[in-house]
C-alpha cells in the first residue's frame, strides 16, 4: 500500500538526509491555500509549524529555540476576536493558516489576545526572535500594525 511505501521512504530519509522522498521533494503548495481556514487544513498547518520549528524559530519572549520550550503552543498572530472586527471590511476566512506561529506556552499565555501592534510594544518581546518566524514590517511595526 501507499502508506507502507511512504513509511519506508521516511525511514530511509531519517537515516540518510540525502534520501529525500519524492513526495517531499516535489511538494508544492498554492499561495492561496495559506489563506484558507485551519479547520480543513490542520495537517498542513502542523506540517508548516513543524518545519518552522525544525528550522530553528525562536520564542518571542525568551529568544530561545521553540524546540527547547517545555510546552509549544499554536499562537494566533492576529487574535480571532481581532480578525472578527475586520471581516466586514475584507474577506478573511476563520483561522487562516498564515495567521499561526509556534511559540512557548508561557509566551502565548502572556500575549494571547493582543494585536501585533500591541505585542511589538511590549518590553519582554524580542523582535529578532519574532522575525525568525518570517514576520516582518509593516504588520509588526508599532505604527504600521492595524489596531482596533
Amino acid at each position: 500500500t501507499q502508506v507502507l511505501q511512504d513509511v519506508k521512504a521516511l525511514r530511509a530519509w531519517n537515516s540518510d538526509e540525502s534520501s529525500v522522498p519524492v513526495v517531499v521533494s516535489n511538494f508544492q503548495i498554492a499561495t492561496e491555500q495559506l489563506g484558507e481556514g485551519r479547520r480543513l487544513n490542520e495537517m498542513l498547518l502542523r506540517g508548516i509549524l513543524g518545519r518552522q520549528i525544525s528550522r530553528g524559530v525562536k520564542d518571542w519572549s525568551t529568544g530561545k529555540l521553540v524546540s527547547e520550550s517545555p510546552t509549544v503552543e499554536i499562537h494566533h498572530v492576529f487574535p480571532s476576536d481581532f480578525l472578527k472586527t475586520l471581516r466586514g471590511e475584507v474577506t478573511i476566512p476563520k483561522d487562516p493558516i498564515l495567521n499561526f506561529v509556534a511559540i512557548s506556552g508561557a509566551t502565548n499565555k502572556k500575549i494571547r489576545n493582543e494585536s501585533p501592534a500591541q505585542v511589538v510594544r511590549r518590553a519582554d518581546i524580542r523582535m529578532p526572535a519574532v522575525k525568525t518566524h518570517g514576520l516582518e514590517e509593516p504588520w509588526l511595526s508599532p505604527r504600521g500594525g492595524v489596531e482596533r
Side-chain angles (χ1 to χ4, degrees):
T1 67
Q2 186 63 49
V3 172
L4 292 176
Q5 291 174 357
D6 290 346
V7 168
K8 287 179 185 176
L10 290 171
R11 284 186 177 154
W13 185 26
N14 194 36
S15 300
D16 176 9
E17 285 189 25
S18 66
S19 297
V20 179
V22 173
V23 70
V24 173
S25 62
N26 291 341
F27 177 77
Q28 293 181 6
I29 184 167
T31 306
E32 306 84 53
Q33 286 180 281
L34 297 175
E36 292 177 357
R38 173 182 181 176
R39 190 173 73 82
L40 299 176
N41 294 292
E42 187 68 28
M43 290 179 64
L44 175 60
L45 173 63
R46 291 186 181 275
I48 290 170
L49 295 178
R51 182 69 175 146
Q52 287 179 350
I53 291 169
S54 73
R55 291 187 143 205
V57 293
K58 296 183 178 177
D59 181 65
W60 296 4
S61 183
T62 66
K64 295 179 181 176
L65 293 172
V66 169
S67 60
E68 296 173 358
S69 300
T71 59
V72 176
E73 293 185 4
I74 299 173
H75 173 71
H76 291 78
V77 175
F78 290 89
S80 295
D81 288 344
F82 178 82
L83 288 179
K84 284 178 193 173
T85 67
L86 298 178
R87 285 212 178 90
E89 300 168 27
V90 291
T91 303
I92 302 171
K94 183 172 176 19
D95 291 334
I97 296 225
L98 278 175
N99 192 37
F100 295 100
V101 295
I103 59 176
S104 74
T107 299
N108 192 34
K109 284 173 183 51
K110 287 194 284 188
I111 64 172
R112 184 173 312 258
N113 292 312
E114 296 182 11
S115 72
Q118 293 168 313
V119 170
V120 299
R121 288 188 189 109
R122 293 179 61 113
D124 60 340
I125 296 299
R126 300 168 187 235
M127 287 308 294
V130 172
K131 290 181 179 184
T132 66
H133 292 259
L135 300 172
E136 297 286 341
E137 309 283 347
W139 291 107
L140 297 179
S141 163
R143 290 192 170 147
V146 179
E147 284 195 77
R148 292 269 172 206

